[in-house]
Amino acid sequence: MKAFISIIRIRFNLLLQYRIAAIAGGVTQFFFGMIMIMVLYGFYSSSDGEMPMSYQSAITYIWMGQAMLGMLPWNGDMEIQNLIRTGNVSYELLRPMNLYNYWFARAFALRTAPTLLKSIPIFIIALLLPSDYKMHLPPNVSSFIAWILTTFGALMISCTITNIINITTLYSISGDGIQRLLSSIVTIFSGMVVPLPLFPEKLKQILSYLPFSGLVDIPTRFFTGEIAFNQLLGYFCFQCLWAVLLYILGQWILNRKIKDLIVQGG
Amino acid sequence: MIIEANELSKRYKMPKRKPGIVGGLKNIFHKEYEEIIALDKICFEVKEGELVGYIGPNGAGKSTTIKILSGILTPDSGECRVLGKVPYKERIDYVKDIGVVFGQRTQLWWDLPVIDSFELLKDIYKIPLGDYLKIKKELITWLDLESFINTPVRQLSLGQKMRCELAASLLHSPKILFLDEPTIGLDAISKLSVREFIKKLNKERGVTVILTTHDMDDIESLCNRVIVIGKGKILLDGSLQSLRNTVSKDRRLILDYDGGNGGISILGATPISKENNRLVIDFNPDIITPADLITTLSTQYKIKDILIENPAIEEIIAKLYGEFNI
């Protein structure tokens, strides 16, 4: 546990070395959010049919996706991928820890540290915007609690997927391929680009069973009150189930690979 | 025995690429592999407190051995036990008792001050705070890290970095230290300080050290035992002296003279060069003792200065490699 905290602390330290990058990232996400909202604005004001989700909720949904971008498993841990590419991964195998759990701790740190740092300013700005672009606070305390809990569930799914990306680098040396593929899948299927409730009915049903919906869609719809508090247990269990499955899958792939791992070079 | 290696073997499968576009296309459909024998039934034992030099040309299998002994590589056959454990089978439990430095790799966090990496290792190895502070202080003094302990790693020189790597590998007080080319790329002063440190560690702490290197000065100043490996086989295992004796017992006499002349035909001595009033002779001390040789020479030359030295270890190793055709 102490090692876990220590890993998170070192990641924070690392992040604070790259303050400018963090600010730049925040600004980019803010602009992305604005663009998406303008598209949604046009979409909502030109359509007469009944919408599956209110405009207000859709805006909040977009901001949530942008603020929590750092938490999405859209890339691997660059540090670990570099360790693998350069062979420094040898040292990781010399630590008296289960490698999966060690990397999980690093994934956890990777997903929480920058998100904590970047999301707060985005939330504050998004709450202060003019009414057409403004993010709204949850309707009641129970929605907020449900959001916190499901965000934790999202974090677990995110860390297990991140770890799988890290581990695949052991097979492919360069993690670029899976990373490009996954970043598109994750951003679209989680609802970050277009809120999932606005997807076609059939697709929506399929997506709701995939782990990606647990990343953005579920926490956000609790936040906006679209999903009622009494369904919290079901949704949270759905997230946990996926997290456990992905955890087992990751452990399995890694343990299989460690046995015949060859670190090349002198 | 602290380390026992019994018939360790390891092969690597390397994809064979044919040159050019045609070759590349052929490769897509039919991949050929070439098998490389990295280790071929290696056997050796190391006693507690020994300082063993493990040498051999590039690609001889040195690093492969270190990787197996440190638990990050599984051999194809054979077995090894270190501290009573099989490293690659009980890796997690085993690695807390060993320290490893790979001279060409790094375990420090590139962008962060050295001390941050140490703190993380403290928690990963679960080192009690009291012990950690004591050991850290000691390592800082011994390796003279004080002046750059708070500098980000990326700003350190190679020598400073290597000293930090050594410290990082020793924070958890391992009983065995594996050093894979710890002096690679270092300047003379850094090499000396790294050597001094290793010596001290071995003498005062009783840490068993296995060291691979290409630098024969490392071997000469540190190791009382050397294992020479080539093409995956152990060629020689013994003291530095026995290594010398195996290849050649010859010693070298360098003689500066003021005047005098004459051909040299002394049994057991071979003249190597004679110019600028300096005579170099290789001789076999079993046939002619240095005293006799000097006496004989002093009748022919007006001797100014005399020096007797062992042939450079590099030459011995080169001869040895030559003998085994590697």
Side-chain angles (χ1 to χ4, degrees):
Chain A
M1 195 59 208
K2 228 174 145 193
F4 205 84
I5 293 165
S6 196
I7 290 166
I8 294 170
R9 205 177 45 216
I10 205 163
R11 170 68 64 181
F12 257 101
N13 279 353
L14 199 62
L15 196 72
L16 292 174
Q17 305 268 325
Y18 305 127
R19 281 165 301 237
I20 306 287
I23 295 169
V27 172
T28 313
Q29 271 144 46
F30 176 75
F31 276 102
F32 259 101
M34 285 305 284
I35 291 166
M36 286 179 199
I37 286 166
M38 285 170 197
V39 173
L40 274 187
Y41 184 78
F43 178 62
Y44 268 82
S45 50
S46 65
S47 168
D48 311 323
E50 202 190 317
M51 287 296 180
M53 128 188 260
S54 73
Y55 177 66
Q56 218 184 57
S57 301
I59 301 289
T60 304
Y61 198 117
I62 293 287
W63 282 126
M64 188 62 83
Q66 288 302 318
M68 303 303 260
L69 172 75
M71 219 184 74
L72 287 184
W74 59 278
N75 61 359
D77 186 335
M78 263 222 328
E79 303 269 330
I80 291 178
Q81 289 172 334
N82 270 331
L83 291 181
I84 294 169
R85 241 189 303 273
T86 56
N88 284 336
V89 70
S90 307
Y91 276 119
E92 303 285 279
L93 291 164
L94 293 170
R95 306 295 176 226
M97 279 177 105
N98 173 307
L99 189 59
Y100 183 93
N101 293 341
Y102 180 38
W103 283 0
F104 187 87
R106 288 176 73 147
F108 187 89
L110 174 76
R111 292 300 164 221
T112 47
T115 310
L116 274 174
L117 208 70
K118 279 196 273 186
S119 64
I120 293 167
I122 294 181
F123 279 141
I124 293 172
I125 294 171
L127 285 169
L128 295 174
L129 287 173
S131 64
D132 276 350
Y133 309 102
K134 182 174 172 328
M135 177 178 172
H136 289 266
L137 288 173
N140 49 48
V141 180
S142 57
S143 304
F144 185 72
I145 294 170
W147 173 68
I148 296 279
L149 193 66
T150 48
T151 297
F152 179 76
L155 185 59
M156 290 299 114
I157 295 178
S158 175
C159 293
T160 48
I161 295 179
T162 304
N163 232 0
I164 289 176
I165 303 177
N166 293 338
I167 293 162
T168 53
T169 315
L170 284 172
Y171 287 87
S172 63
I173 308 295
S174 144
D176 290 354
I178 182 141
Q179 196 153 305
R180 297 235 171 103
L181 194 71
L182 233 96
S183 68
S184 314
I185 292 177
V186 166
T187 47
I188 293 169
F189 289 179
S190 65
M192 206 199 98
V193 179
V194 176
L196 290 194
L198 303 180
F199 271 65
E201 205 57 43
K202 277 266 163 55
L203 195 58
K204 206 154 64 177
Q205 266 175 8
I206 298 169
L207 290 182
S208 71
Y209 289 110
L210 294 179
F212 310 108
S213 70
L215 291 168
V216 176
D217 188 63
I218 292 175
T220 307
R221 285 197 293 139
F222 271 110
F223 188 86
T224 58
E226 301 265 314
I227 311 179
F229 183 74
N230 59 20
Q231 295 191 45
L232 177 60
L233 190 67
Y235 277 99
F236 186 62
C237 285
F238 168 80
Q239 287 178 315
C240 290
L241 186 72
W242 266 116
V244 169
L245 278 175
L246 292 166
Y247 180 89
I248 294 170
L249 179 69
Q251 279 265 20
W252 181 73
I253 309 176
L254 183 61
N255 288 336
R256 254 186 58 148
K257 186 65 194 169
I258 285 183
K259 278 197 197 103
D260 58 26
L261 185 67
I262 289 167
V263 180
Q264 296 163 338
Chain B
M1 289 297 153
I2 199 164
I3 300 176
E4 294 168 74
N6 196 3
E7 305 217 323
L8 285 180
S9 296
K10 182 79 196 175
R11 289 151 192 271
Y12 295 122
K13 236 165 115 186
M14 301 272 262
K16 221 159 106 182
R17 294 240 158 80
K18 295 193 192 84
I21 296 173
V22 180
L25 284 173
K26 269 186 190 161
N27 253 324
I28 298 175
F29 302 106
H30 183 69
K31 252 193 181 164
E32 272 181 61
Y33 289 95
E34 193 179 7
E35 243 187 359
I36 291 173
I37 300 172
L39 289 182
D40 190 6
K41 295 188 177 164
I42 293 261
C43 299
F44 63 89
E45 285 181 339
V46 177
K47 285 202 269 302
E48 198 167 347
E50 271 193 292
L51 208 167
V52 181
Y54 196 57
I55 54 182
N58 288 324
K62 298 187 301 291
S63 293
T64 304
T65 315
I66 298 287
K67 282 173 197 160
I68 291 176
L69 291 178
S70 54
I72 59 182
L73 194 66
T74 311
D76 294 334
S77 67
E79 207 197 37
C80 71
R81 279 183 174 276
V82 187
L83 296 162
K85 289 173 191 146
V86 180
Y88 39 91
K89 283 190 186 147
E90 306 159 66
R91 186 176 58 82
I92 293 173
D93 184 40
Y94 164 75
V95 291
K96 67 177 192 300
D97 293 325
I98 60 160
V100 186
V101 174
F102 296 108
Q104 312 201 44
R105 314 200 185 286
T106 178
Q107 60 183 318
L108 305 166
W109 288 64
W110 191 248
D111 289 306
L112 295 175
V114 183
I115 192 75
D116 286 13
S117 295
F118 287 5
E119 300 276 328
L120 179 66
L121 289 170
K122 176 197 96 193
D123 290 334
I124 286 176
Y125 282 98
K126 301 193 180 85
I127 309 167
L129 188 66
D131 294 358
Y132 169 71
L133 292 175
K134 204 179 118 223
I135 297 164
K136 186 181 77 175
K137 205 176 140 202
E138 228 169 53
L139 289 170
I140 288 176
T141 333
W142 280 19
L143 286 161
D144 199 14
L145 309 177
E146 192 60 58
S147 58
F148 50 85
I149 193 86
N150 290 312
T151 313
V153 175
R154 60 164 189 269
Q155 292 172 16
L156 298 182
S157 74
L158 203 57
Q160 291 172 328
K161 221 159 30 199
M162 185 46 68
R163 273 138 72 195
C164 295
E165 295 280 352
L166 276 167
S169 299
L170 290 162
L171 286 169
H172 57 289
S173 324
K175 298 187 187 90
I176 303 183
L177 183 62
F178 295 103
L179 300 170
D180 195 2
E181 305 190 28
T183 55
I184 196 164
L186 300 191
D187 65 28
I189 297 169
S190 304
K191 270 183 186 171
L192 284 178
S193 81
V194 166
R195 273 180 213 147
E196 272 315 300
F197 175 73
I198 296 170
K199 215 185 262 178
K200 205 165 166 185
L201 195 74
N202 175 257
K203 279 235 170 76
E204 293 184 16
R205 283 295 139 78
V207 176
T208 311
V209 181
I210 311 280
L211 166 96
T212 81
T213 184
H214 288 295
D215 188 325
M216 294 309 155
D217 289 337
D218 285 351
I219 297 288
E220 204 141 17
S221 66
L222 288 173
C223 309
N224 23 43
R225 177 179 165 199
V226 280
I227 297 176
V228 185
I229 179 174
K231 283 190 179 161
K233 282 193 165 81
I234 289 184
L235 308 180
L236 193 140
D237 181 354
S239 67
L240 206 55
Q241 194 53 49
S242 74
L243 170 65
R244 285 215 163 90
N245 290 345
T246 324
V247 180
S248 144
K249 286 183 178 165
D250 281 5
R251 306 180 109 211
R252 180 162 289 182
L253 178 112
I254 300 165
L255 183 135
D256 286 342
Y257 58 90
D258 246 356
N261 213 336
I264 303 148
S265 58
I266 305 166
L267 189 67
T270 328
I272 302 293
S273 70
K274 184 182 169 188
E275 53 192 14
N276 298 333
N277 284 356
R278 167 170 281 196
L279 182 68
V280 181
I281 296 173
D282 277 358
F283 67 99
N284 183 338
D286 283 354
I287 302 174
I288 183 164
T289 63
D292 287 346
L293 181 65
I294 293 165
T295 318
T296 317
L297 286 171
S298 65
T299 60
Q300 291 173 329
Y301 296 92
K302 202 174 150 213
I303 297 171
K304 241 174 68 182
D305 198 6
I306 270 182
L307 178 72
I308 295 178
E309 62 178 21
N310 286 321
I313 186 98
E314 264 99 349
E315 287 175 28
I316 294 181
I317 297 292
K319 263 189 194 162
L320 191 70
Y321 291 168
E323 262 175 42
F324 286 95
N325 203 8
I326 50 174

